[in-house]
Amino acid sequence: MRTSSDVKLAAVADAPPAPPEPTRRWRPHPLDLVAVVLAVVGAACALSGLLPRAETTATVQRILPLLLFLGTVIVLAELTAVAGVFDVLASRLAIAARGRWAALFLLCGGLATVTTLVLNLDTTAVLLTPVLLALARNLRVPAAPLAVTTVWLANTASLLLPVSNLTNLLAADRVGLTPLAYAERMALPQLAAVAVTMALLWYAWWRRERPVGGRFVAPARHVPADPVLHRTALAGCLLFVAGIVAGVEIGLASTVALALVLLGFVVRSPATLRPGLVPVRLLLFVTGLFLVVQTLGRHGLDDLVGNLLGTDGGALGALRAGGTGALLSNAVNNLPAYLAGESVLPAGDHTRLLALLIGTNVGPLAAPWASLATLLWFERCRAAGVRVPVTRFVVTSTVLAVTGTLAAVGALLLVS
């Protein structure tokens, strides 16, 4: 006698085999295509002579330390995330907020501001972005407000100190200001830029995503799966931060820190190490970008920048300089935008030079290539599987670029 279960088994056995799942075809990410095109065009500019050999060599020598920093710091961030360092930090940040959404907003914004001021904007983009993304995951809240916090403040909070941004180092040297004198000159513009950023962050992102009653359930303190690996990765991050604070060249600091973390993974989790950790796309993108922009500078870009900046002095000249910096940063990248503007402004025109700097620091937000920090932020979000609404991000970032630049340039004019 056959039971009902026997009948079900027989039916399953007689059923036709399930069709095989369709194989997913690999499709390149749009930024992969952009990176390859830029690298090919940049190489063509160098090989064809559009960019003379001497300038090609100088450009490559200049960006090699930058590429070393980019490659090592991104791998460092990836391995640090695997070791659970960001999850631990995120849980402690949530606990400190005591379940209050507004308090969490202030803590996240304050942390991003201090990290950018004391260290630099790229450190904020690389190391702090995963912390806040892990926090959103642990709290089960939308990640977009926390993600936007890091990229906005990484750019707009990078005015105060020369070490906060590579463009600041160039500007401080150009105008001949000591670090203290530079900080005194940029203190009010920095305050204005951060104030505008925090206000727009709250109303455009945090307020719209706040939980019911403005409260959330704080998670328990995160315990890493491998405490030894966690402590090794944490030591590597602290070593990196200490190196930057001590004035060590950023590429050297990130390389030494990565070497320590790699050693820990070789011993504790060698299977984690794979070639895919190396950000080839980003390295190609940056190399091609610099070669192409350098070539464009020789063939009309410098003249265009000169026309955009004009010869006006006073408030109008400062506003044109700030607007030009922001516009060119989103068109190409903030570093070549600043260099192009600096090359056509007189060295003694401190107000317009610093206004140009404000535009290239506060303005590069709407386009993913506008600043190195924005590029790094996109990489961190992509690695974490976080999608930020593109249209909303571009619109609100454009509003911030305009209002933040105007506010900071206006503050600069008050202290000039």
Side-chain angles (χ1 to χ4, degrees):
M1 180 178 180
R2 301 178 68 185
T3 64
S4 59
S5 60
D6 293 333
V7 173
K8 291 179 181 179
L9 289 173
V12 171
D14 294 336
E21 294 185 3
T23 303
R24 292 185 178 180
R25 297 180 61 184
W26 178 81
R27 293 183 179 180
H29 190 276
L31 286 181
D32 293 332
L33 300 177
V34 173
V36 171
V37 169
L38 268 178
V40 171
V41 173
C45 291
L47 295 174
S48 66
L50 286 174
L51 185 63
R53 179 176 297 179
E55 291 193 27
T56 299
T57 302
T59 301
V60 172
Q61 290 176 344
R62 186 173 191 179
I63 65 175
L64 279 177
L66 179 62
L67 297 177
L68 175 64
F69 166 70
L70 278 177
T72 53
V73 81
I74 287 180
V75 177
L76 174 65
E78 289 277 6
L79 296 179
T80 302
V82 172
V85 173
F86 299 135
D87 292 304
V88 171
L89 289 175
S91 68
R92 292 184 179 180
L93 196 66
I95 292 170
R98 297 183 178 180
R100 294 169 295 179
W101 188 245
L104 185 66
F105 164 70
L106 293 175
L107 282 171
C108 292
L111 181 59
T113 299
V114 171
T115 303
T116 304
L117 290 177
V118 177
L119 302 176
N120 61 62
L121 73 167
D122 301 323
T123 302
T124 299
V126 172
L127 297 183
L128 188 58
T129 297
V131 172
L132 298 193
L133 295 182
L135 176 60
R137 183 174 61 252
N138 292 341
L139 297 181
R140 297 181 180 179
V141 298
L146 287 80
V148 174
T149 297
T150 59
V151 69
W152 278 11
L153 286 168
N155 286 281
T156 63
S158 65
L159 288 171
L160 184 63
L161 300 175
V163 297
S164 302
N165 199 329
L166 177 58
T167 52
N168 296 359
L169 293 171
L170 299 172
D173 180 66
R174 176 80 169 182
V175 299
L177 293 176
T178 65
L180 181 59
Y182 174 87
E184 290 176 352
R185 188 78 181 272
M186 299 301 286
L188 191 59
Q190 181 63 93
L191 180 62
V194 169
V196 171
T197 304
M198 291 294 286
L200 193 56
L201 267 174
W202 175 254
Y203 285 102
W205 291 92
W206 283 76
R207 187 183 181 190
R208 291 182 58 175
E209 305 289 354
R210 63 181 174 180
V212 178
R215 300 190 67 83
F216 61 90
V217 178
R221 180 170 295 184
H222 181 80
V223 178
D226 187 334
V228 174
L229 200 55
H230 170 265
R231 287 193 292 269
T232 303
L234 179 59
C237 290
L238 294 177
L239 182 63
F240 174 50
V241 171
I244 293 176
V245 172
V248 177
E249 197 276 323
I250 57 175
L252 178 60
S254 60
T255 300
V256 173
L258 176 60
L260 174 62
V261 177
L262 281 174
L263 180 61
F265 272 87
V266 167
V267 175
R268 306 288 297 188
S269 181
T272 304
L273 304 177
R274 63 189 191 282
L277 292 171
V278 180
V280 176
R281 181 180 75 188
L282 187 58
L283 299 180
L284 289 174
F285 184 97
V286 172
T287 303
L289 176 68
F290 271 79
L291 291 173
V292 170
V293 171
Q294 190 74 13
T295 304
L296 292 176
R298 287 185 55 85
H299 298 276
L301 179 60
D302 288 349
D303 294 335
L304 172 63
V305 174
N307 292 331
L308 290 173
L309 289 171
T311 58
D312 299 307
L316 179 59
L319 290 172
R320 286 188 66 167
T324 298
L327 178 65
L328 289 180
S329 294
N330 287 287
V332 286
N333 179 269
N334 70 328
L335 181 55
Y338 173 78
L339 292 174
E342 183 190 75
S343 67
V344 298
L345 285 176
D349 196 347
H350 291 183
T351 299
R352 285 206 295 166
L353 277 167
L354 293 177
L356 172 70
L357 176 69
I358 288 172
T360 56
N361 282 20
V362 178
L365 288 167
W369 55 79
S371 76
L372 181 57
T374 308
L375 275 173
L376 292 169
W377 175 78
F378 269 103
E379 285 289 335
R380 295 297 87 218
C381 290
R382 179 173 178 263
V386 172
R387 293 183 178 272
V388 176
V390 175
T391 302
R392 185 173 159 201
F393 175 77
V394 171
V395 170
T396 55
S397 294
T398 302
V399 172
L400 175 59
V402 174
T403 57
T405 300
L406 287 174
V409 171
L412 175 67
L413 291 171
L414 291 177
V415 297
S416 297

